[in-house]
Amino acid sequence: MKELLTDHKISSLKTYFTSYRHAVWIGYVMIAVALIVLPFLVESTIGRTWVRILDFALIYGMLALGLNIVVGFAGLLDLGYIAFYAVGAYTWALLASPQFGLHLPFWVIIPIGFVVAGFFGVLLGAPTLRLRGDYLAIVTLGFGEIIRIFLNNLDHPVNVTNGPVGINLIDPISIGSVDFTKTQEIFGLIFSGAHIYYYVLLLLLLVSILVCIRLENSRLGRAWVAIREDEIAAQAMGINTRNVKLLAFAMGASFGGIAGGLFASFQGFVSPESFILLESIMVLCMVVLGGMGNVWGVVLGTFILAILPEVLRDISSPLQENILGKVWLDPESLRMVLFGLALIVVMLVRPTGLWPSKKNN
Amino acid sequence: MQGIRNNLVVEINDVSKSFGGLVALSDISLDIKQGEICGLIGPNGAGKTTLFNILTGIYSPDSGVFKINGQECQNLKPHLVVKAGLARTFQNIRLFGNMTGLENVMVGQHVRTKVGVVGAIFRHRYARQEERQIEEKSRALMVYVGLDPDTNQLSNTLSYGDQRRLEIARALATDPVVIALDEPAAGMNATETGELRDLLMRIRKDGVTILLIEHDVKLVMGLCDKVAVLDYGVKIAEGKPNAIKQNKDVIRAYLGGSLS
């Protein structure tokens, strides 16, 4: 009787596990379908602007994943990260716009942007190798500002960046004569530019997630975390901390560079005011709020912080009218107050982020 | 390996170091043979940890030469000293707190492995193979020091004795010729010290030379083949444990001049 029972138990466990594996696959397929259908739903219910907001959330996702390599994995607090986004954006802008009459295709510019931003990452990393924590934060903050000010002033003596006016008419991604920012009709379905870009950006974000997860679970990822945890002990275990830190800066910066290039091609326009300190802080908030060091946490944090302010913009006026009968506060300022409040609450309730990196036992 | 004379894996010749006006070490020489356990003792402030920090590349000596496994190391960065074959533990445990025990040991193999960014991202065959080897070896090392490789516990939640053992496993993961232990028995009770003693005997038997800084005189005297005594930055004695016990200079350094 006893044996029968255990046999029965084992077989039921087996069916449980096989069905569990099926459930996982069904889950993946459902997520994939949801992600493909999402822009159609959004466009038909709340409007095309929201597809654009999704696009920006995806771009921020790549940015935040890059910063997560530097801050989350290697523990190097970088407050000037947006500089690499700027470098990537201007690289694309200069290589594919009437500014210099260059119109390179996207598959040439993306690797160039990757390399150029990575180079700037090393350029920032090299002099700051001995710095940590607050000191590193101050220097990187300065670096971010230097890049922005350079972009703002490089219109004379030789005009490179067009100064504060910015660069216009940047080429979008296009394959043959198909321009990704123009509305296209395929099989009777209408795809707006934002909608097509959504798929491009989604694909790149998924690749970024994969790359980050693989880096994290590698010899290098462990070395980064070791440096974050204890730099002296990391050295004493034979890690060349200089090279490994520079690599973290370069990898993080390259993600920023690619995101910046896509931003430029999507907007068709770049100017220095897109790359202010507040943007650096915003990306850092996404990383910290989501859960430093955890790739999925960072993605979650990004989506919340990229979308929440837009939701608040839409609801802060109707909310006041319903509750108070009249719009008392300017929705634009109320939105930022609510946003700040939400950040404070999250950090009080979950100080290690919404989805922290390791299950603490 | 051709640089090794007479099985000497550590050769220290006239190493001196001063901080400002304070002479921390003056003309220290010490040789350690392959397979020996060498104890380094001395009162607080005698210069033991300074010597340790010089050997491991954290400080560079003002003068003098030292060789690890035949390779001159006095001007090398810490990670290159590890590559030459000297691994260490710390007096105040320095584990990677937010990593599991297994991950800590896996980090120790960084210096003997080589997969970089490309391998990490594409996971080609060599990268997968290396990763598997790293994990297998790390598991084996954890079992070797008496830890369970399957606990998913973060290392900062391990018990004190386990943390000490994990540090030794992590140091062994670098494939050292010499392992330098900075007060491994500090804060341990008699049982834990006994286990540590057994572990160190096993490590020696498996061919790794040990340099041991320790305050627990009983442990040092019972375990070491040779003991060197430092006092005020000078080596005042070197020899077999029994001879050291009788040495007048050593007794004076520990107990004060008036008693001898």
Side-chain angles (χ1 to χ4, degrees):
Chain A
M1 191 63 209
K2 218 177 178 182
E3 277 163 20
L4 271 176
L5 233 164
T6 40
D7 267 359
H8 176 70
K9 251 189 193 161
I10 287 167
S11 67
S12 72
L13 265 176
K14 263 183 191 159
T15 46
Y16 172 76
F17 275 115
T18 40
S19 62
Y20 173 76
R21 208 183 306 145
H22 283 170
V24 168
W25 276 108
I26 293 167
Y28 281 140
V29 172
M30 276 166 65
I31 291 170
V33 170
L35 286 173
I36 290 168
V37 174
L38 185 67
F40 288 106
L41 279 177
V42 167
E43 198 166 330
S44 57
T45 51
I46 43 180
R48 187 165 292 177
T49 40
W50 278 90
V51 182
R52 278 185 73 85
I53 292 168
L54 279 182
D55 288 348
F56 278 106
L58 292 167
I59 291 178
Y60 275 119
M62 287 186 65
L63 269 180
L65 284 174
L67 185 61
N68 184 46
I69 293 178
V70 184
V71 180
F73 294 167
L76 304 162
L77 183 52
D78 185 348
L79 281 184
Y81 184 68
I82 212 70
F84 307 122
Y85 187 52
V87 167
Y90 271 85
T91 304
W92 192 303
L94 295 175
L95 294 177
S97 75
Q99 179 73 359
F100 292 135
L102 290 169
H103 294 282
L104 300 182
F106 74 93
W107 48 268
V108 175
I109 308 177
I110 287 180
I112 293 177
F114 183 88
V115 171
V116 171
F119 170 73
F120 272 85
V122 173
L123 207 63
L124 163 70
T128 61
L129 282 169
R130 286 162 187 276
L131 304 176
R132 280 191 78 82
D134 349 13
Y135 302 97
L136 178 64
I138 298 291
V139 175
T140 51
L141 187 150
F143 178 81
E145 287 300 287
I146 288 170
I147 295 282
R148 187 181 60 81
I149 291 165
F150 255 98
L151 295 173
N152 214 8
N153 292 287
L154 270 182
D155 51 349
H156 61 85
V158 185
N159 183 6
V160 181
T161 64
N162 252 359
V165 182
I167 297 172
N168 216 334
L169 299 172
I170 299 167
D171 298 347
I173 296 178
S174 58
I175 294 174
S177 61
V178 181
D179 177 341
F180 280 27
T181 52
K182 297 264 160 55
T183 302
Q184 309 283 349
E185 196 187 321
I186 305 164
F187 304 127
L189 290 171
I190 307 286
F191 291 92
S192 66
H195 196 151
I196 301 171
Y197 255 86
Y198 169 86
Y199 293 127
V200 174
L201 293 168
L202 180 65
L203 183 71
L204 279 164
L205 183 68
L206 292 176
V207 171
S208 309
I209 290 173
L210 181 75
V211 167
C212 280
I213 288 176
R214 289 194 157 190
L215 280 174
E216 189 186 2
N217 297 310
S218 71
R219 168 177 175 265
L220 261 178
R222 285 190 297 269
W224 284 333
V225 176
I227 288 175
R228 180 189 77 197
E229 293 294 313
D230 189 329
E231 195 167 339
I232 299 223
Q235 268 181 339
M237 287 305 112
I239 293 170
N240 183 341
T241 50
R242 182 194 60 199
N243 290 3
V244 172
K245 275 162 117 179
L246 283 181
L247 201 60
F249 273 117
M251 287 304 294
S254 321
F255 274 69
I258 293 181
L262 291 162
F263 166 74
S265 79
F266 179 50
Q267 288 267 77
F269 166 71
V270 288
S271 76
E273 66 184 37
S274 302
F275 309 108
I276 51 175
L277 174 64
L278 191 65
E279 287 287 310
S280 278
I281 292 173
M282 194 70 178
V283 180
L284 188 66
C285 281
M286 292 167 174
V287 174
V288 174
L289 182 102
M292 256 194 279
N294 180 17
V295 171
W296 296 110
V298 168
V299 173
L300 176 74
T302 307
F303 274 80
I304 291 174
L305 287 202
I307 289 171
L308 186 65
E310 306 300 326
V311 175
L312 289 173
R313 190 208 302 276
D314 277 13
I315 64 165
S316 50
S317 292
L319 205 65
Q320 289 185 61
E321 274 168 12
N322 283 339
I323 298 170
L324 306 168
K326 177 181 164 203
V327 178
W328 289 87
L329 288 168
D330 169 30
E332 197 57 24
S333 27
L334 179 63
R335 156 178 105 103
M336 288 326 280
V337 171
L338 290 176
F339 182 68
L341 209 62
L343 281 186
I344 293 171
V345 169
V346 169
M347 288 334 284
L348 282 178
V349 179
R350 295 190 70 91
T352 49
L354 291 170
W355 191 346
S357 66
K358 275 249 168 79
K359 55 287 160 182
N360 286 7
N361 302 20
Chain B
M1 295 277 169
Q2 69 268 56
I4 308 180
R5 288 185 296 117
N6 311 326
N7 281 337
L8 295 180
V9 286
V10 178
E11 295 170 71
I12 306 171
N13 284 315
D14 296 330
V15 164
S16 298
K17 176 78 184 174
S18 45
F19 300 102
L22 177 78
V23 180
L25 291 176
S26 59
D27 296 330
I28 302 292
S29 297
L30 181 67
D31 292 339
I32 306 175
K33 280 198 200 111
Q34 164 84 45
E36 257 183 344
I37 299 186
C38 174
L40 186 62
I41 62 171
N44 286 327
K48 304 183 296 283
T49 300
T50 305
L51 182 60
F52 232 61
N53 284 337
I54 287 175
L55 289 179
T56 52
I58 292 176
Y59 302 146
S60 58
D62 297 337
S63 64
V65 191
F66 69 90
K67 287 183 182 175
I68 308 288
N69 204 18
Q71 187 189 343
E72 281 199 16
C73 290
Q74 62 276 10
N75 295 318
L76 293 186
K77 288 256 161 59
H79 68 270
L80 293 174
V81 176
V82 180
K83 201 164 190 178
L86 177 76
R88 73 171 293 180
T89 65
F90 292 89
Q91 186 174 349
N92 42 343
I93 301 173
R94 300 187 84 140
L95 288 166
F96 307 122
N98 286 312
M99 296 173 105
T100 64
L102 186 64
E103 284 170 332
N104 266 276
V105 184
M106 287 168 87
V107 169
Q109 282 172 70
H110 185 92
V111 73
R112 305 291 172 210
T113 46
K114 54 175 186 246
V115 165
V117 177
V118 177
I121 293 172
F122 293 102
R123 290 201 181 159
H124 47 66
R125 188 188 300 169
Y126 179 79
R128 287 198 307 268
Q129 201 181 324
E130 187 185 277
E131 189 71 12
R132 204 165 43 236
Q133 278 165 0
I134 290 174
E135 197 184 326
E136 273 167 19
K137 192 174 165 196
S138 303
R139 284 175 175 281
L141 276 169
M142 283 187 81
V143 174
Y144 182 80
V145 301
L147 293 169
D148 174 13
D150 286 314
T151 56
N152 242 348
Q153 257 179 298
L154 298 182
S155 63
N156 57 14
T157 64
L158 292 172
S159 73
Y160 183 80
D162 284 354
Q163 292 195 5
R164 285 267 178 224
R165 273 199 288 238
L166 183 58
E167 253 206 334
I168 293 174
R170 187 180 67 175
L172 288 174
T174 64
D175 281 341
V177 178
V178 189
I179 179 167
L181 308 172
D182 198 349
E183 299 204 19
M188 282 188 169
N189 61 32
T191 330
E192 287 172 325
T193 308
E195 285 169 3
L196 177 72
R197 191 195 143 90
D198 295 344
L199 176 61
L200 296 185
M201 303 276 268
R202 235 178 328 137
I203 291 172
R204 189 229 332 236
K205 208 178 98 230
D206 292 332
V208 180
T209 309
I210 298 174
L211 172 61
L212 181 68
I213 292 188
E214 189 48 69
H215 268 309
D216 189 329
V217 175
K218 220 169 101 193
L219 180 72
V220 172
M221 293 305 177
L223 196 60
C224 296
D225 304 302
K226 174 163 102 174
V227 178
V229 189
L230 291 186
D231 191 28
Y232 292 110
V234 181
K235 190 175 83 178
I236 56 170
E238 181 186 335
K240 295 244 183 278
N242 278 330
I244 293 293
K245 266 191 232 170
Q246 317 291 327
N247 187 301
K248 285 211 170 66
D249 289 333
V250 177
I251 295 169
R252 193 181 307 123
Y254 268 92
L255 299 177
S258 59
L259 269 176
S260 54

